[in-house]
Amino acid sequence: MELKVRYVLLLAVGLWSTLLLTTVTAHQDEEDEPIVEMGGDMDVEDDMEELDHGEELLDGEVEADMPPGPPSVPKVTYKVPEPTGEHFFAESFDMGTLDSWVLSKAKKEDIDEDIAKYDGKWEVEDMKDGKLPGDKGLVLKSRAKHHAISAQLLRPFIFDTKPLIVQYEVNFQQGIDCGGAYVKLLSQTPDLNLDEFVDKTPYTIMFGPDKCGEDYKLHFIFRHKNPKTGEYEEKHAKKPDADLRTYYTDKKTHLYTLVVNPDNSFEVLVDQAVVNSGNLLTDMTPPINPAAEIEDPDDHKPEDWDERPKIQDPDAVKPEDWDEDAPKQIPDEDAVKPDGWLDDESEYTSDPDAVKPEDWDEDMDGEWEAPQVPNALCETAPGCGAWQRPMIDNPSYKGKWKAPMIDNPNYQGVWKPRKIANPAFFEDLHPFRMTPFNAVGLELWSMSSDIFFDNFFITNERHTADRWANDGWGLKKAAEGALEPGLVNQMMTAADERPWLWVVYVLTVAVPLVLIIVFCCTGKKTAAADYKKTDEPQPDVKEEEVVEKAEADQVKEEKSQPAAAEKNSDAEDSPAEKEEVNEEEEDEEEEEDEVTEEVREQ
């Protein structure tokens, strides 16, 4: 039974380890290689050389000396994404120009003149380590500069009965130290001038990644108009629970998507996976709607208001025997100096082996003294120097007397100003109905260069946005995935980043080996093996068991003779019973012969 339990435990450990490894590998795959359903616009061409070689094999021309090569990697051919369906803006930069974009000529206010200009450089070019030749994007080229560029939509976006979907791609090719890569949806106003696009230009939504130091952000901010005052206030979405670090450090292209629905719900996605979601009414800071009541700013706490829940007892009197001057500790009068204490020896003495340095100048350095070393005589003695009684706590010590605390009979509680109706109260149950916008812009400051932007898309149809994403970002991921290392290399890389994975790998390999050894090298033990544990001669227990069994059978036979005689008398009338008795006797004889044979063999 114990052996079976051990087998079950070992098998459970093996299954647990395998399951854990599978979970880790799946998680790593989700982080590093998001799965994208590719549309029909992706052209994959097989290696023609391998195809020709296959035809030669069919013709019988086999080259025996040709070493087997690795399987061919499919080539992903870039194709410019074509916008389909309802959309308001689509830009892939594959024309190689910025003809539809406007560079800001403005200056930033309230800042030093040397850095006030928006003179950061923008270029349209291929990605530095791109896997898709011909795929171009918008690149922020300068560092420590202000950048501003914008473009008009095909038509203004009106927040009515359909959702807003905004998506674009970002690749931090050189990493990112401090800077943003967010996009602004510029509000439709009569005085909107893209030539004068600055940080104070009104926007409806700001969305995208931002990082400085170790603070990794993914903004979703919208400007909400107060229906009573007409003033705008920024509303910030809650911080995502997901770890965003990878998107800023892996130097890969990531797809950022914002979805805002007419029912006030929203989703923020990275690589088509939701990293943040919520509701405009409940998950924005500050809240959309102010409180119905506020504290009266003109209400003040009365001077005689008593907020003390406890006070010192005014009737308490210090006891007459209370000694406030008694010391906290006193010498132990019962202590006795240990025998052998060396009163005339000090704990340290001058080093007898020390020699004054030759360059010692007594006029400059003073009188030379040998360094102090522990006194050798004190090492074997209980102590050296003047003996003093040890200090103990003073039983009479009470410290400063204080009156005990009692409940305050005049306690009125913690004062709070009274509540009044909020004069600025309003209730907006449809914050989705934001200010329309008619332009998209990038207004950024960055300490890192070569930030790559691509495939901007704004629509009100989710399936249209997904199709554009598959034709653009999905193609990039397919090209990157074709050149990704195999599973073993990925596992090694993952273990380098997470050393605890080595334990999982070892368990996954070791546990099956242990199970194989246990099942192959152990089995059902014979009776002889259970008994004979060593090579020493053992008493022949089997022979004794045979003798005892024979004696028992003889006694049984003697007792059954009268009954057998009666059975024989009835045998003529019952031939079937006679055959059963004969068969039982034959079986007993065969069992005795088998036992005797085993004894002879031993």
Side-chain angles (χ1 to χ4, degrees):
M1 187 66 181
E2 284 184 27
L3 191 58
K4 290 183 179 180
V5 172
R6 247 177 307 174
Y7 290 163
V8 172
L9 290 177
L10 288 173
L11 184 58
V13 172
L15 292 175
W16 173 85
S17 302
T18 305
L19 179 60
L20 181 58
L21 176 62
T22 304
T23 304
V24 171
T25 304
H27 179 67
Q28 183 70 16
D29 290 340
E30 289 177 0
E31 289 185 348
D32 296 341
E33 298 183 13
I35 298 174
V36 180
E37 294 182 1
M38 300 305 301
D41 295 335
M42 186 186 74
D43 298 330
V44 181
E45 301 176 354
D46 294 334
D47 195 330
M48 298 304 298
E49 295 180 359
E50 183 181 1
L51 181 59
D52 294 340
H53 177 62
E55 293 176 354
E56 293 176 0
L57 293 179
L58 292 176
D59 295 337
E61 301 176 3
V62 181
E63 298 181 10
D65 297 334
M66 185 176 65
S72 62
V73 177
K75 294 180 180 178
V76 181
T77 304
Y78 179 67
K79 184 178 180 181
V80 178
E82 294 292 338
T84 58
E86 182 76 9
H87 66 280
F88 297 81
F89 188 78
E91 178 62 84
S92 65
F93 302 100
D94 290 312
M95 297 299 293
T97 66
L98 289 173
D99 292 343
S100 59
W101 291 76
V102 179
L103 293 171
S104 176
K105 301 179 180 64
K107 290 184 179 181
K108 199 168 186 177
E109 298 179 3
D110 304 326
I111 198 171
D112 189 78
E113 183 69 20
D114 296 336
I115 59 174
K117 294 181 179 181
Y118 284 93
D119 55 356
K121 301 298 180 182
W122 298 92
E123 296 289 346
V124 175
E125 60 186 24
D126 291 345
M127 195 182 302
K128 289 184 178 297
D129 297 324
K131 310 299 187 297
L132 282 176
D135 180 20
K136 298 183 182 300
L138 177 66
V139 181
L140 181 149
K141 299 294 294 183
S142 311
R143 60 185 306 273
K145 295 277 189 181
H146 289 287
H147 304 73
I149 191 170
S150 56
Q152 288 281 352
L153 271 60
L154 298 176
R155 60 190 179 282
F157 185 94
I158 309 297
F159 294 87
D160 46 22
T161 60
K162 291 188 176 182
L164 166 68
I165 298 100
V166 182
Q167 67 183 22
Y168 67 105
E169 300 168 15
V170 179
N171 187 315
F172 297 107
Q173 299 183 94
Q174 303 294 337
I176 181 71
D177 295 323
C178 185
Y182 42 80
V183 63
K184 289 183 177 180
L185 307 182
L186 305 182
S187 301
Q188 184 183 22
T189 58
D191 56 349
L192 177 61
N193 182 1
L194 299 186
D195 288 327
E196 298 297 321
F197 176 34
V198 293
D199 58 323
K200 295 183 180 179
T201 300
Y203 67 87
T204 300
I205 287 178
M206 188 176 92
F207 165 66
D210 188 13
K211 172 189 180 287
C212 200
E214 292 300 313
D215 189 10
Y216 300 88
K217 298 179 180 178
L218 184 51
H219 294 296
F220 167 38
I221 306 170
F222 81 95
R223 296 172 70 245
H224 179 258
K225 183 178 180 180
N226 188 313
K228 298 193 71 172
T229 65
E231 297 180 353
Y232 284 87
E233 184 178 28
E234 289 185 350
K235 307 295 182 180
H236 296 247
K238 63 179 182 179
K239 188 174 181 179
D241 295 330
D243 185 6
L244 306 176
R245 183 187 305 267
T246 302
Y247 307 127
Y248 298 82
T249 58
D250 61 4
K251 298 183 181 180
K252 292 184 178 181
T253 302
H254 294 289
L255 177 69
Y256 295 88
T257 306
L258 170 66
V259 181
V260 187
N261 297 304
D263 63 356
N264 298 321
S265 63
F266 69 86
E267 288 182 332
V268 176
L269 303 91
V270 181
D271 299 343
Q272 297 184 326
V274 177
V275 298
N276 196 8
S277 62
N279 191 286
L280 300 178
L281 288 170
T282 57
D283 298 303
M284 307 300 290
T285 303
I288 299 296
N289 298 311
E293 290 185 331
I294 60 173
E295 294 179 347
D296 185 357
D298 299 327
D299 190 16
H300 302 285
K301 183 173 68 172
E303 295 182 358
D304 59 347
W305 190 276
D306 195 341
E307 294 182 323
R308 301 172 300 168
K310 296 279 187 179
I311 61 172
Q312 290 184 341
D313 186 357
D315 300 328
V317 179
K318 182 175 70 173
E320 295 181 359
D321 60 345
W322 192 284
D323 186 2
E324 293 184 345
D325 298 327
K328 189 174 183 178
Q329 288 191 323
I330 58 175
D332 184 3
E333 298 297 335
D334 297 331
V336 178
K337 182 172 67 175
D339 294 337
W341 188 279
L342 304 178
D343 296 276
D344 299 332
E345 296 289 341
S346 59
E347 293 185 12
Y348 293 91
T349 184
S350 299
D351 186 359
D353 299 329
V355 179
K356 182 173 71 173
E358 295 180 358
D359 59 348
W360 187 275
D361 188 347
E362 293 190 354
D363 295 333
M364 297 292 295
D365 303 324
E367 183 179 357
W368 180 81
E369 295 181 358
Q372 297 289 303
V373 296
N375 191 340
L377 297 176
C378 296
E379 294 181 359
T380 57
C384 293
W387 180 78
Q388 295 181 349
R389 297 179 182 278
M391 303 296 289
I392 60 173
D393 292 336
N394 185 359
S396 302
Y397 173 77
K398 296 182 180 180
K400 294 292 184 180
W401 181 84
K402 293 181 181 180
M405 303 296 290
I406 60 172
D407 292 336
N408 183 2
N410 299 321
Y411 176 64
Q412 296 174 270
V414 177
W415 183 86
K416 293 182 180 179
R418 63 175 174 268
K419 294 280 189 177
I420 62 172
N422 185 358
F425 173 74
F426 64 86
E427 189 175 36
D428 181 3
L429 299 180
H430 305 284
F432 170 77
R433 299 171 185 171
M434 304 176 194
T435 305
F437 63 91
N438 64 342
V440 57
L442 298 168
E443 188 269 318
L444 305 170
W445 163 274
S446 177
M447 292 302 296
S448 302
S449 60
D450 292 318
I451 302 177
F452 186 93
F453 299 87
D454 200 6
N455 293 329
F456 289 88
F457 198 71
I458 299 175
T459 181
N460 57 12
E461 297 177 345
R462 190 69 177 264
H463 64 276
T464 301
D466 291 341
R467 187 183 303 115
W468 175 269
N470 287 339
D471 293 346
W473 173 79
L475 206 60
K476 288 187 178 71
K477 296 308 295 181
E480 292 176 357
L483 300 177
E484 284 289 334
L487 179 60
V488 174
N489 290 335
Q490 291 182 20
M491 292 173 63
M492 298 289 287
T493 303
D496 290 338
E497 297 176 357
R498 305 173 180 85
W500 56 267
L501 283 177
W502 288 113
V503 178
V504 178
Y505 297 162
V506 171
L507 286 175
T508 305
V509 175
V511 170
L513 290 177
V514 171
L515 291 174
I516 291 172
I517 293 172
V518 169
F519 282 107
C520 292
C521 299
T522 61
K524 187 176 180 181
K525 298 182 180 180
T526 62
D530 288 335
Y531 183 84
K532 193 171 184 180
K533 302 294 184 181
T534 68
D535 292 333
E536 297 294 331
Q538 302 294 336
D540 198 346
V541 179
K542 288 290 185 179
E543 192 172 24
E544 295 177 0
E545 292 178 355
V546 172
V547 173
E548 292 176 358
K549 185 175 181 181
E551 294 176 353
D553 291 339
Q554 185 176 1
V555 173
K556 183 178 179 181
E557 185 178 356
E558 292 176 354
K559 291 181 178 180
S560 61
Q561 282 181 357
E566 295 177 0
K567 287 183 181 180
N568 289 335
S569 61
D570 299 334
E572 296 178 357
D573 298 332
S574 305
E577 293 180 1
K578 182 177 181 181
E579 289 178 0
E580 290 178 359
V581 172
N582 292 336
E583 288 177 358
E584 290 177 358
E585 291 177 355
E586 289 176 0
D587 291 339
E588 291 177 356
E589 290 176 359
E590 288 177 0
E591 290 177 359
E592 292 177 1
D593 293 339
E594 289 176 358
V595 173
T596 305
E597 186 65 23
E598 289 179 1
V599 174
R600 289 176 180 175
E601 289 177 357
Q602 294 180 356

